[in-house]
Amino acid sequence: MFRGLHRDVQHTGEFIVIGLGRFGSALATTLIDMGHEVLGIDADGERVQELSGVLTHVAQADTTSPKALKQLGVADAVTVAVCIGADVEASVLTTAALSDLEIPNIWAKAFTEPHGRILSRVGAHHVVFPEAEMGTRVAHLLTGEVIEYLSLDGDFVLIETVTPPWLVGKPLGETNLRRDFKVTVVCVKPESGAFTYAERETVLGANDLVVVAGHRADIDRFASAS
């Protein structure tokens, strides 16, 4: 899940990723795969060396220092992601330094709610909780009722699941899903076809995949219904 001010900032130029552990390196390399330029920064020289030649630019630096950030050109960046690992102090000080540099779009990784609140107070525009989100997602996958689980904004989620037996053979317009569960079937993948929009006339087969949207508690009721 994430928490933020949802500022409407149009990104331009190079992305800056600070902290090149598992989360930060995955974020940085994915941005590269998407065709973006990325400057990766970490205090650990070995991590920096590992991503040399993979990212557009890499640098070893103490990112709690505004002077070091300025020397690397970070002050000119639009979007910076703070992905520092377990060093909460460095995470907070780096975020505060970026705020002092008036970076318009700061994303920061948090481990706990108190950590996230502090990051917000010192200047993070968006705070992400990857461990909490992954734990929630895996818990739903472990039950076997859900194939994919995606939290869009705290309490609102999307799931992908096989059509529940009690929905098989019924046109969606006759199922009263909105009334009974307050959820919406967004799209359907027939057993031998591709995903398509769900309509009132859509009849679900036993092995069809469905993507369903709704608030977390409503989705949980839908997924566990029999």
Side-chain angles (χ1 to χ4, degrees):
M1 65 191 221
F2 72 89
R3 181 175 63 231
L5 302 182
H6 302 280
R7 289 160 54 106
D8 228 354
V9 175
Q10 183 67 41
H11 175 78
T12 57
E14 192 173 51
F15 284 94
I16 313 293
V17 177
I18 297 175
L20 299 176
R22 285 178 296 180
F23 180 76
S25 60
L27 172 62
T29 54
T30 300
L31 287 169
I32 288 289
D33 290 342
M34 294 169 66
H36 299 287
E37 294 188 345
V38 178
L39 165 60
I41 308 172
D42 200 288
D44 187 325
E46 289 187 10
R47 289 180 179 173
V48 170
Q49 187 61 37
E50 287 173 2
L51 290 172
S52 176
V54 178
L55 305 184
T56 314
H57 302 101
V58 291
Q60 181 180 2
D62 174 11
T63 56
T64 65
S65 165
K67 181 179 179 180
L69 294 174
K70 286 181 181 179
Q71 289 175 340
L72 291 171
V74 175
D76 299 321
V78 172
T79 303
V80 180
V82 181
C83 307
I84 294 173
D87 190 339
V88 173
E89 181 180 358
S91 165
V92 171
L93 291 176
T94 295
T95 302
L98 293 169
S99 180
D100 288 343
L101 293 176
E102 299 184 348
I103 303 300
N105 196 23
I106 303 171
W107 290 73
K109 169 187 173 182
F111 289 96
T112 64
E113 282 289 338
H115 182 200
R117 286 195 295 271
I118 293 171
L119 289 171
S120 294
R121 287 169 184 165
V122 298
H125 306 117
H126 302 271
V127 176
V128 297
F129 298 81
E131 282 79 10
E133 169 63 22
M134 183 56 69
T136 298
R137 178 175 177 271
V138 171
H140 283 83
L141 300 182
L142 284 175
T143 66
E145 297 164 347
V146 173
I147 299 170
E148 277 295 346
Y149 185 96
L150 174 65
S151 175
L152 298 181
D153 187 6
D155 186 48
F156 200 82
V157 300
L158 282 175
I159 64 167
E160 179 185 345
T161 186
V162 176
T163 303
W166 51 274
L167 277 182
V168 173
K170 299 178 182 178
L172 284 174
E174 298 178 9
T175 60
N176 295 317
L177 286 176
R178 285 280 188 90
R179 184 196 69 190
D180 296 339
F181 293 95
K182 299 179 182 178
V183 301
T184 300
V185 176
V186 179
C187 54
V188 180
K189 184 180 185 297
E191 184 176 6
S192 57
F195 270 112
T196 185
Y197 295 110
E199 300 177 349
R200 288 183 55 82
E201 298 76 20
T202 300
V203 177
L204 303 177
N207 296 312
D208 292 354
L209 296 179
V210 293
V211 174
V212 186
H215 292 286
R216 190 181 304 273
D218 297 325
I219 286 289
D220 288 345
R221 285 194 306 113
F222 167 82
S224 61
S226 59

